[in-house]
Amino acid sequence: MEGFFGMRVTIKSFVPPNESIEGFHLGEPLTMDLVDDVTVGDVIQRIFAKYMKQIGIIAVNGKIAYETTALSEGDRIDLYPLLEGG
Amino acid sequence: MGDLKLFGYNGRILRIDLAKGRISVEEPQIEFYQRYLGGRGFVAVTLLKEVPPGIDPLGPENKLVFALGPLTGSPLPGSGRNSVGAKSPLTGAFGEAEAGGFWGAELKRAGFDSIVVEGNSNSPVYLLIRDGQVELKDAGHLWGMEIAQAHFTIRKELENDKIRTAIIGPGGEKLIRFATIANDISHVAGRTGLGAVMGSKKLKAIAVRGTSQLQMAHPEALHEIGRWMAQNFKDKTGVWQYGTGYLMEGYSLAGNLPAYNFLDGSFDQVEKITAQAICDQFRVEMYGCYACPLRCKKRIKIDLPYEVDPIYGGPEYETLAAFGSNCGISDHKAICKAHEICNRYGIDTISAGVTISFAMECFEKGLLTTRDTDGLELTFGNAKAMLELLKQITEKRGVGMLLSEGSRIAARQIGNGAEDFAVQVKGLELAMHDPRLKQGLGLHCGVNPSGPDHASAIHDTLLVKGPQFDEWGAIDINESIPSTELSPRKARLVYQYGMWTNLTNYLVICVLVPYTKRQIQEAVEAVTGWPMSYWRLMKTAERGVTLAKIFNLREGFTEVDDVLPKRIYSAQRKGNLAGVDPDKLSEVKKLYYQMLGWNEQGIPTKARLVELDIEWASEYINPS
């Protein structure tokens, strides 16, 4: 990671991204590099804005989080859709 | 049927009197189909008109009704299902369940829209239907067989591996009150104990083979919807990857994952029991149902320490939670084994799991001891004890004999406050969705005539974040409402959204196929040729709900029975969810009744019966 000044996080989303992302599969973790000072909302706006209304639950490191939650190096973001039956 | 041509149906209902060995066919008027559409509608009309009040659900006067819908057997994904109903031996109320697979489509192609089974046979029989030809056959050699063994024996003796079967296992034969009926081994009509009704009639199986093509009014329009679904389903749902249970970690975060007999709504070891965890380690393949590209059912195989036979499929979400988190168990192999035992013997995984979690809480609180359990340490999290108890239930031995009656009867027998731990409504155990999070679902669980059925329930969490108004607005739902809110506008949501959700049981299509409302409307029009509106579809569902309600009123159920288990009125042990407020529930329930045109006691008014064009049903309401 020489020369990289951001942070690395893992995203696992059951909501599809705006457009195809290489290596992304629904429900499978994907490691991404982000710039510093990023919130969950920033990530959603950038990658999942098109399907924002489908996002029901946000978690960071296994705990409920919000769009305002700030991200740190190594965080795991989980995005779940609005919960149905099953 | 007059001059009008009937599309989407065969126009024939098969009636079997097992006591007399008599087989007959009825051809209802076209109005019957237009008014009730199919599935739960056919079941409700038949039970209300033909089953006398107060009868023993396991006696000869009960009737078992298998019913299809207009779309059944069409090339539409999710259309292979069937509904089945009777007076429930678990609840004493209107009982109904659905199953997927191929059997429903096969019955339609064999020439029938419904089967009414009446009377009890003196000896075991099975029914064989081949392209309109019907015969009763001896099943003495099948009686006692596990489900897969009976299925393959029937196929072998008929020398036809395309035969589809609806079968009971030893659970149904032994009259376990939550016994199931399995289509082709692993597609199960699980709820309300209808397998026991089939067992009481000594009907081991209904074997079907049909080769006719369903006549549709506008087949190309239907094919177009099917093609769209085949091309787009992967963008609309994730269920095809792992089957249900792939969102369990989200459920746990939200407080929707029942744990420790509904004491909690989250489970700290949830990641060990998700559908992904099961699939990653034990999946053999994904498989599916008739005409469906989703293929959302997982088949799993385990060798040690429990041998799990892949022929019985794999656990869905309800099973993963019922035997997992709700019993405090994270041993995913044991959960898979519990699933297999239930499908092998033919008992409901939800009722079995919740009855076992009930027994675990009784044990932990000293209401059951090792003297009652033959030494079993029945603590939460004890996977071996869970499996042993499940075996005892299937064999009706030891404390399993009592628990095979379901948690309501067992709680009454145990006494000393055990009823507080029985998480059931009208005798049917709650499915794996917490009404403290989904309070509209809670209202549905209380008022639904067949008990707390999750498949026809609303799921409040779908509408918490600005619903896709173009989709929901079609049925006049235009606002987002917090899932934990219980209010007049939530009653309206349960009425409007609830009638739409109920509709799937009248059309008998799968809720997991992500159709839009317009596609469903267009599909019914394409098959039947009848002009169809959302209004007409939802009124059909309301008609059936009202008839089922009248069935229950006649059985002596009142508004006092339309409540939630005591457990749900208390806050979750950990987490932030408060208990459902019983006063609010009572107030909202009365509003809901009135929206349905029922009075405050839940008795349908004559005006609404007239409006629904079922005035005939008023004669079945006992004036109180």
Side-chain angles (χ1 to χ4, degrees), chain B residues 243-259:
Chain B
T244 57
Y246 72 104
L247 296 175
M248 283 177 77
E249 288 172 281
Y251 285 20
S252 185
L253 282 165
N256 186 52
L257 181 66

PDB file of all heavy atoms in Angstrom, chain B residues 243-259:
ATOM      1  N   GLY B 243     -31.069 -19.440  -0.683  1.00  0.00           N
ATOM      2  CA  GLY B 243     -32.385 -19.744  -0.131  1.00  0.00           C
ATOM      3  C   GLY B 243     -32.706 -18.789   0.998  1.00  0.00           C
ATOM      4  O   GLY B 243     -31.921 -17.884   1.304  1.00  0.00           O
ATOM      5  N   THR B 244     -33.875 -18.974   1.638  1.00  0.00           N
ATOM      6  CA  THR B 244     -34.218 -18.090   2.754  1.00  0.00           C
ATOM      7  C   THR B 244     -33.216 -18.302   3.880  1.00  0.00           C
ATOM      8  O   THR B 244     -32.612 -19.362   4.002  1.00  0.00           O
ATOM      9  CB  THR B 244     -35.636 -18.382   3.269  1.00  0.00           C
ATOM     10  OG1 THR B 244     -35.700 -19.756   3.655  1.00  0.00           O
ATOM     11  CG2 THR B 244     -36.685 -18.112   2.201  1.00  0.00           C
ATOM     12  N   GLY B 245     -33.057 -17.270   4.692  1.00  0.00           N
ATOM     13  CA  GLY B 245     -32.085 -17.344   5.786  1.00  0.00           C
ATOM     14  C   GLY B 245     -30.792 -16.621   5.480  1.00  0.00           C
ATOM     15  O   GLY B 245     -29.887 -16.590   6.296  1.00  0.00           O
ATOM     16  N   TYR B 246     -30.721 -15.997   4.297  1.00  0.00           N
ATOM     17  CA  TYR B 246     -29.474 -15.314   3.947  1.00  0.00           C
ATOM     18  C   TYR B 246     -29.371 -13.935   4.586  1.00  0.00           C
ATOM     19  O   TYR B 246     -28.320 -13.316   4.547  1.00  0.00           O
ATOM     20  CB  TYR B 246     -29.296 -15.231   2.422  1.00  0.00           C
ATOM     21  CG  TYR B 246     -30.210 -14.269   1.706  1.00  0.00           C
ATOM     22  CD1 TYR B 246     -29.740 -13.045   1.249  1.00  0.00           C
ATOM     23  CD2 TYR B 246     -31.538 -14.579   1.472  1.00  0.00           C
ATOM     24  CE1 TYR B 246     -30.565 -12.155   0.578  1.00  0.00           C
ATOM     25  CE2 TYR B 246     -32.370 -13.702   0.802  1.00  0.00           C
ATOM     26  CZ  TYR B 246     -31.883 -12.496   0.364  1.00  0.00           C
ATOM     27  OH  TYR B 246     -32.706 -11.615  -0.294  1.00  0.00           O
ATOM     28  N   LEU B 247     -30.464 -13.462   5.181  1.00  0.00           N
ATOM     29  CA  LEU B 247     -30.435 -12.151   5.839  1.00  0.00           C
ATOM     30  C   LEU B 247     -30.494 -12.264   7.364  1.00  0.00           C
ATOM     31  O   LEU B 247     -30.844 -11.306   8.050  1.00  0.00           O
ATOM     32  CB  LEU B 247     -31.610 -11.300   5.347  1.00  0.00           C
ATOM     33  CG  LEU B 247     -31.594 -10.931   3.860  1.00  0.00           C
ATOM     34  CD1 LEU B 247     -32.868 -10.207   3.466  1.00  0.00           C
ATOM     35  CD2 LEU B 247     -30.375 -10.068   3.531  1.00  0.00           C
ATOM     36  N   MET B 248     -30.177 -13.413   7.884  1.00  0.00           N
ATOM     37  CA  MET B 248     -30.367 -13.619   9.330  1.00  0.00           C
ATOM     38  C   MET B 248     -29.549 -12.670  10.193  1.00  0.00           C
ATOM     39  O   MET B 248     -29.984 -12.268  11.270  1.00  0.00           O
ATOM     40  CB  MET B 248     -30.044 -15.075   9.698  1.00  0.00           C
ATOM     41  CG  MET B 248     -31.168 -16.023   9.315  1.00  0.00           C
ATOM     42  SD  MET B 248     -30.775 -17.747   9.661  1.00  0.00           S
ATOM     43  CE  MET B 248     -30.999 -17.816  11.428  1.00  0.00           C
ATOM     44  N   GLU B 249     -28.357 -12.322   9.718  1.00  0.00           N
ATOM     45  CA  GLU B 249     -27.569 -11.385  10.522  1.00  0.00           C
ATOM     46  C   GLU B 249     -28.269 -10.028  10.608  1.00  0.00           C
ATOM     47  O   GLU B 249     -28.246  -9.372  11.652  1.00  0.00           O
ATOM     48  CB  GLU B 249     -26.171 -11.246   9.933  1.00  0.00           C
ATOM     49  CG  GLU B 249     -25.324 -12.501  10.169  1.00  0.00           C
ATOM     50  CD  GLU B 249     -24.009 -12.455   9.421  1.00  0.00           C
ATOM     51  OE1 GLU B 249     -24.009 -12.724   8.202  1.00  0.00           O
ATOM     52  OE2 GLU B 249     -22.992 -12.144  10.050  1.00  0.00           O
ATOM     53  N   GLY B 250     -28.900  -9.624   9.520  1.00  0.00           N
ATOM     54  CA  GLY B 250     -29.686  -8.387   9.537  1.00  0.00           C
ATOM     55  C   GLY B 250     -30.886  -8.514  10.463  1.00  0.00           C
ATOM     56  O   GLY B 250     -31.205  -7.594  11.222  1.00  0.00           O
ATOM     57  N   TYR B 251     -31.546  -9.658  10.411  1.00  0.00           N
ATOM     58  CA  TYR B 251     -32.686  -9.892  11.307  1.00  0.00           C
ATOM     59  C   TYR B 251     -32.237  -9.737  12.768  1.00  0.00           C
ATOM     60  O   TYR B 251     -32.926  -9.138  13.592  1.00  0.00           O
ATOM     61  CB  TYR B 251     -33.239 -11.310  11.128  1.00  0.00           C
ATOM     62  CG  TYR B 251     -34.046 -11.557   9.872  1.00  0.00           C
ATOM     63  CD1 TYR B 251     -33.947 -10.745   8.756  1.00  0.00           C
ATOM     64  CD2 TYR B 251     -34.919 -12.633   9.805  1.00  0.00           C
ATOM     65  CE1 TYR B 251     -34.689 -10.993   7.613  1.00  0.00           C
ATOM     66  CE2 TYR B 251     -35.672 -12.894   8.668  1.00  0.00           C
ATOM     67  CZ  TYR B 251     -35.548 -12.079   7.574  1.00  0.00           C
ATOM     68  OH  TYR B 251     -36.285 -12.329   6.440  1.00  0.00           O
ATOM     69  N   SER B 252     -31.079 -10.312  13.075  1.00  0.00           N
ATOM     70  CA  SER B 252     -30.586 -10.280  14.450  1.00  0.00           C
ATOM     71  C   SER B 252     -30.270  -8.845  14.877  1.00  0.00           C
ATOM     72  O   SER B 252     -30.598  -8.429  15.991  1.00  0.00           O
ATOM     73  CB  SER B 252     -29.337 -11.173  14.566  1.00  0.00           C
ATOM     74  OG  SER B 252     -28.911 -11.256  15.904  1.00  0.00           O
ATOM     75  N   LEU B 253     -29.648  -8.098  13.983  1.00  0.00           N
ATOM     76  CA  LEU B 253     -29.342  -6.695  14.293  1.00  0.00           C
ATOM     77  C   LEU B 253     -30.607  -5.902  14.579  1.00  0.00           C
ATOM     78  O   LEU B 253     -30.648  -5.047  15.460  1.00  0.00           O
ATOM     79  CB  LEU B 253     -28.611  -6.055  13.105  1.00  0.00           C
ATOM     80  CG  LEU B 253     -27.134  -6.389  12.952  1.00  0.00           C
ATOM     81  CD1 LEU B 253     -26.658  -6.006  11.562  1.00  0.00           C
ATOM     82  CD2 LEU B 253     -26.315  -5.671  14.017  1.00  0.00           C
ATOM     83  N   ALA B 254     -31.653  -6.202  13.823  1.00  0.00           N
ATOM     84  CA  ALA B 254     -32.895  -5.436  13.953  1.00  0.00           C
ATOM     85  C   ALA B 254     -33.735  -5.878  15.145  1.00  0.00           C
ATOM     86  O   ALA B 254     -34.659  -5.176  15.552  1.00  0.00           O
ATOM     87  CB  ALA B 254     -33.714  -5.584  12.670  1.00  0.00           C
ATOM     88  N   GLY B 255     -33.442  -7.041  15.707  1.00  0.00           N
ATOM     89  CA  GLY B 255     -34.259  -7.564  16.800  1.00  0.00           C
ATOM     90  C   GLY B 255     -35.389  -8.453  16.320  1.00  0.00           C
ATOM     91  O   GLY B 255     -36.357  -8.697  17.036  1.00  0.00           O
ATOM     92  N   ASN B 256     -35.257  -8.965  15.096  1.00  0.00           N
ATOM     93  CA  ASN B 256     -36.320  -9.784  14.505  1.00  0.00           C
ATOM     94  C   ASN B 256     -36.017 -11.270  14.550  1.00  0.00           C
ATOM     95  O   ASN B 256     -36.762 -12.064  14.003  1.00  0.00           O
ATOM     96  CB  ASN B 256     -36.539  -9.363  13.038  1.00  0.00           C
ATOM     97  CG  ASN B 256     -37.728 -10.072  12.416  1.00  0.00           C
ATOM     98  OD1 ASN B 256     -38.815 -10.058  12.986  1.00  0.00           O
ATOM     99  ND2 ASN B 256     -37.527 -10.705  11.277  1.00  0.00           N
ATOM    100  N   LEU B 257     -34.915 -11.671  15.171  1.00  0.00           N
ATOM    101  CA  LEU B 257     -34.529 -13.079  15.176  1.00  0.00           C
ATOM    102  C   LEU B 257     -34.869 -13.688  16.537  1.00  0.00           C
ATOM    103  O   LEU B 257     -34.136 -13.505  17.513  1.00  0.00           O
ATOM    104  CB  LEU B 257     -33.024 -13.211  14.909  1.00  0.00           C
ATOM    105  CG  LEU B 257     -32.493 -14.643  14.853  1.00  0.00           C
ATOM    106  CD1 LEU B 257     -33.054 -15.397  13.653  1.00  0.00           C
ATOM    107  CD2 LEU B 257     -30.963 -14.642  14.804  1.00  0.00           C
ATOM    108  N   PRO B 258     -35.974 -14.419  16.628  1.00  0.00           N
ATOM    109  CA  PRO B 258     -36.346 -14.985  17.929  1.00  0.00           C
ATOM    110  C   PRO B 258     -35.212 -15.845  18.514  1.00  0.00           C
ATOM    111  O   PRO B 258     -34.623 -16.674  17.814  1.00  0.00           O
ATOM    112  CB  PRO B 258     -37.576 -15.834  17.609  1.00  0.00           C
ATOM    113  CG  PRO B 258     -38.158 -15.186  16.392  1.00  0.00           C
ATOM    114  CD  PRO B 258     -36.967 -14.732  15.597  1.00  0.00           C
ATOM    115  N   ALA B 259     -34.924 -15.618  19.769  1.00  0.00           N
ATOM    116  CA  ALA B 259     -33.863 -16.379  20.440  1.00  0.00           C
ATOM    117  C   ALA B 259     -34.326 -16.720  21.846  1.00  0.00           C
ATOM    118  O   ALA B 259     -35.043 -15.944  22.485  1.00  0.00           O
ATOM    119  CB  ALA B 259     -32.580 -15.558  20.482  1.00  0.00           C
TER     120      ALA B 259
END
